[in-house]
Amino acid sequence: MSYADTHPLQRTPWHRYRHSLWLLTTRDLKVRYSTSALGYVWSVLDPLVMAGIYWFVFTQVFQRPVGTEPYIVFLLSALLPWMWFNGTVSDSTRAFLKDAKLVRSTKIPRTIWVNRIVLSKGIEFLLAIPVLVLFAVVFRATVGWELALFPLAILLQTILTAGVALIVAPLVVFFRDLERAVKLVLRFLFYASPIIYGVSNLPSELHIWAAFNPLSGIFGLYRAGFFPDELDWFNVAISAAMSVALLAIGLLVFRGSLRQVLKEI
C-alpha cells in the first residue's frame, strides 16, 4: 500500500480521480450482479445468444457466404466489443439522471459519472474474452501475430466510447427524447457496422463509406488475430482520427454544458 493510499489528503488530483472512478465502477458492478442469481453469466449470455441466432440463420438456414469461417468466432470477435459500445452509450443517457442527487452534492469531477460506465462495461467485455478464446479453440481458428493488435483495438474503442458518451450524457438532460433517439440510432448502427458481416462482403463502392464508421477499423483490429484479411490500415487510421476527434468534441460539449446540466437535474 502506497503512502497516498494511507494518507488521502496527500493524494494527487489524478490519484483522487482514479480512486473515485474505481470506487464508483466497482459499486456499479456489485449492484448489477448482487441482485442477479446468475451474476457474471448474464454479461456473456446475451452476446452468446445473439451470436448463436445469427450463426444459425446465416450458416444453417440460408447458408449465405457472410463473414469468414469459423463464423461463430468471426461473429463474437465483433459482437463482444459491440456490446461494450452499445451498453455504454445506452447507459450514458441516464448517467446524470440516475444519480442526480450525488452528482449535485459531490465535488468529484463530473466526467467520472460517465467514465465509470465506460470502465464498468469495459470490464464486462474483458470478462467475456475467455468465451471468445474458448470458441476459437473449439473451432480451431488460426491465430496470427495480428492478435497483438487486440490491446490497440481496446484503446481506440475506449477513446471512441468515452467521446460518444460524453456527448450524449449532458445532451439528454436538455432533450429527454434523445434517450429514445439514441436507442434507434444504435439499432441502425448495429446493422451499419461490420458485425454479422465483414467490410469485404459489402459492394466495392461502399467500402470507402464503411471506413467512415469508426467501428469498422476497430472491429477489424479485433478480428485481425483470427482473420488477417479483415485488417485494413486505412480503416484503422480513419477510426483512430475519428475517435480522437469525438473525444475532443465530447470534452468540449461536456465542459460547456456542465453548469446548465447541474441546474437542470
Side-chain angles (χ1 to χ4, degrees):
M1 185 175 293
S2 67
Y3 179 80
D5 290 328
T6 56
H7 298 78
L9 295 179
Q10 301 300 319
R11 293 174 180 163
T12 64
W14 166 243
H15 188 95
R16 290 196 295 270
Y17 185 97
R18 188 176 59 184
H19 181 70
S20 300
L21 176 61
W22 182 248
L23 285 178
L24 288 173
T25 300
T26 53
R27 185 203 68 165
D28 281 358
L29 291 172
K30 289 177 181 177
V31 170
R32 193 175 304 155
Y33 291 140
S34 63
T35 57
S36 171
L38 294 179
Y40 156 75
V41 176
W42 286 114
S43 64
V44 297
L45 190 59
D46 189 18
L48 272 179
V49 170
M50 289 182 64
I53 292 172
Y54 287 117
W55 172 83
F56 180 77
V57 169
F58 287 109
T59 65
Q60 305 300 312
V61 178
F62 295 111
Q63 297 182 347
R64 294 295 298 270
V66 178
T68 308
E69 292 295 334
Y71 186 58
I72 190 68
V73 177
F74 184 88
L75 265 176
L76 284 173
S77 56
L79 192 57
L80 292 178
W82 164 259
M83 299 299 290
W84 174 14
F85 179 82
N86 179 73
T88 299
V89 176
S90 295
D91 287 1
S92 68
T93 59
R94 300 195 60 81
F96 291 131
L97 302 176
K98 184 179 178 181
D99 296 301
K101 291 183 179 179
L102 283 174
V103 174
R104 287 196 305 265
S105 61
T106 57
K107 293 185 178 180
I108 59 175
R110 268 68 184 202
T111 53
I112 284 180
W113 297 100
V114 176
N115 289 334
R116 70 188 173 101
I117 302 174
V118 179
L119 183 56
S120 64
K121 293 295 183 181
I123 291 174
E124 288 184 351
F125 164 69
L126 293 177
L127 292 175
I129 288 179
V131 177
L132 174 61
V133 174
L134 176 62
F135 276 94
V137 172
V138 171
F139 287 88
R140 299 180 180 180
T142 57
V143 178
W145 67 267
E146 293 88 353
L147 195 63
L149 298 174
F150 211 88
L152 176 60
I154 294 175
L155 174 62
L156 289 180
Q157 183 168 350
T158 301
I159 295 171
L160 172 66
T161 307
V164 175
L166 287 170
I167 295 172
V168 170
L171 293 183
V172 170
V173 175
F174 305 119
F175 310 103
R176 299 300 172 90
D177 287 343
L178 189 59
E179 182 176 354
R180 294 185 177 181
V182 166
K183 293 181 179 179
L184 291 176
V185 172
L186 287 172
R187 192 175 303 171
F188 167 79
L189 189 59
F190 174 84
Y191 293 101
S193 301
I195 300 173
I196 59 178
Y197 57 87
V199 174
S200 58
N201 297 127
L202 296 172
S204 57
E205 60 270 17
L206 294 180
H207 286 189
I208 187 66
W209 296 107
F212 287 93
N213 176 351
L215 292 173
S216 295
I218 294 173
F219 290 167
L221 284 172
Y222 281 120
R223 282 174 167 158
F226 306 106
F227 312 99
D229 292 342
E230 292 297 314
L231 180 59
D232 187 324
W233 285 110
F234 175 76
N235 289 358
V236 173
I238 295 294
S239 295
M242 292 185 68
S243 297
V244 172
L246 284 170
L247 179 60
I249 294 171
L251 289 171
L252 289 174
V253 171
F254 192 91
R255 291 172 180 172
S257 60
L258 183 58
R259 183 171 297 180
Q260 290 299 320
V261 167
L262 294 177
K263 291 180 180 179
E264 289 288 333
I265 60 176

